[in-house]
């Protein structure tokens, strides 16, 4: 009798390869990435793509979920870090590094139609709020900084570095350093507007 376990392992490998190939294709071609090109890059047939992801929207949602879950898991681990300021900076570094590897921020809006994406994003936001609350309570960041502020600032280092032609791949780290210095309480001045509320 043949065990079904190798098939499940193959299916998991195929799914992982498809997500990586799709992320690469979308990063290079934007929303014009085709299922045929994704399948070719993953080394599978189009039928395999559709068995895992019946529609292109399902594939996009899976990519977004993969990225959000990765950051949430990193945040959960960092909540156990002894130094809350170090933990928050490490999380923001992980978020910026993920985006540097593949800038798929344009997909996040496309994935919003999937309720699983909405739920995953809400879980990630809760973790970010917890990281910021710990850092603020420890005096590592200024008292008027909120989780919503950090959520909105997470893309900033890569966004700014993206304006520099032929920039060093690590340029985003410079702007993350500047940004994090702005979050610290030393030398802080009152902010001119209240924090946003994110749905």
């Amino acid at each position: 009798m043949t065990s079904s376990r190798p098939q499940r392992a193959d299916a998991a490998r195929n799914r992982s390869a498809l997500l990586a190939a799709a992320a690469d294709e979308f990063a290079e071609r934007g929303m014009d990435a085709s299922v045929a090109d994704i399948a070719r890059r993953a080394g599978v047939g189009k039928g395999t793509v559709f068995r895992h992801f019946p529609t292109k929207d399902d594939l996009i949602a899976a990519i977004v979920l993969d990225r959000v879950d990765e950051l949430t898991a990193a945040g959960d681990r960092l909540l156990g870090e002894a130094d809350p300021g170090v933990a928050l900076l490490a999380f923001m570094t992980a978020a910026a590094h993920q985006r540097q590897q593949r800038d798929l921020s344009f997909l996040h809006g496309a994935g919003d139609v999937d309720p699983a994406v909405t739920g995953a994003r809400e879980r990630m936001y809760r973790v970010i709020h917890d990281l910021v609350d710990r850092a603020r309570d420890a005096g590592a960041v200024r008292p008027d900084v909120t989780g919503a502020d950090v959520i909105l600032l997470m893309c900033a280092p890569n966004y700014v570095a993206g304006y520099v032609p032929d920039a060093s791949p690590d340029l985003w780290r410079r702007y993350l350093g500047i940004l994090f210095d702005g979050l610290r309480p030393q030398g802080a001045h009152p902010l001119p507007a209240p924090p946003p509320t994110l749905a």
Side-chain angles (χ1 to χ4, degrees):
M1 184 169 135
T2 304
S3 168
S4 62
R5 195 164 291 167
Q7 290 179 326
R8 286 200 299 270
D10 287 347
R13 279 194 298 273
N14 282 344
R15 187 178 190 282
S16 180
L18 279 170
L19 284 175
D24 287 339
E25 281 293 318
F26 281 117
E28 289 176 15
R29 301 176 187 274
M31 294 301 286
D32 292 333
S34 73
V35 171
D37 288 336
I38 291 166
R40 189 162 36 253
R41 187 184 282 250
V44 300
K46 283 172 66 174
T48 301
V49 179
F50 289 119
R51 271 196 301 279
H52 286 277
F53 309 105
T55 70
K56 195 172 179 179
D57 283 343
D58 292 325
L59 179 56
I60 289 169
I63 293 168
V64 174
L65 271 172
D66 198 47
R67 293 167 67 83
V68 170
D69 286 346
E70 180 183 314
L71 286 180
T72 302
D76 279 333
R77 287 191 301 272
L78 288 164
L79 284 170
E81 168 70 47
D83 185 325
V86 168
L88 180 59
L89 178 57
F91 178 81
M92 294 176 71
T93 302
H97 184 255
Q98 184 191 73
R99 186 169 179 189
Q100 176 65 24
Q101 289 175 309
R102 294 187 190 104
D103 184 4
L104 296 172
S105 52
F106 67 93
L107 289 183
H108 284 216
D112 284 346
V113 296
D114 191 307
V117 170
T118 304
R121 191 171 286 130
E122 287 171 358
R123 287 190 295 277
M124 182 181 72
Y125 286 174
R126 281 197 296 273
V127 168
I128 294 170
H129 280 282
D130 289 345
L131 287 165
V132 173
D133 289 347
R134 286 183 74 235
R136 191 177 53 242
D137 292 346
V141 298
R142 50 190 296 160
D144 51 0
V145 166
T146 69
D149 291 322
V150 170
I151 289 165
L152 292 171
L153 288 169
M154 278 167 46
C155 302
N158 307 79
Y159 184 77
V160 173
Y163 278 98
V164 180
D166 302 319
S168 156
D170 285 335
L171 183 61
W172 61 271
R173 293 182 185 277
R174 174 182 177 85
Y175 297 104
L176 179 61
I178 292 170
L179 189 157
F180 204 77
D181 274 354
L183 294 176
R184 290 189 171 101
Q186 294 83 1
H189 294 87
L191 294 171
T197 301
L198 298 182

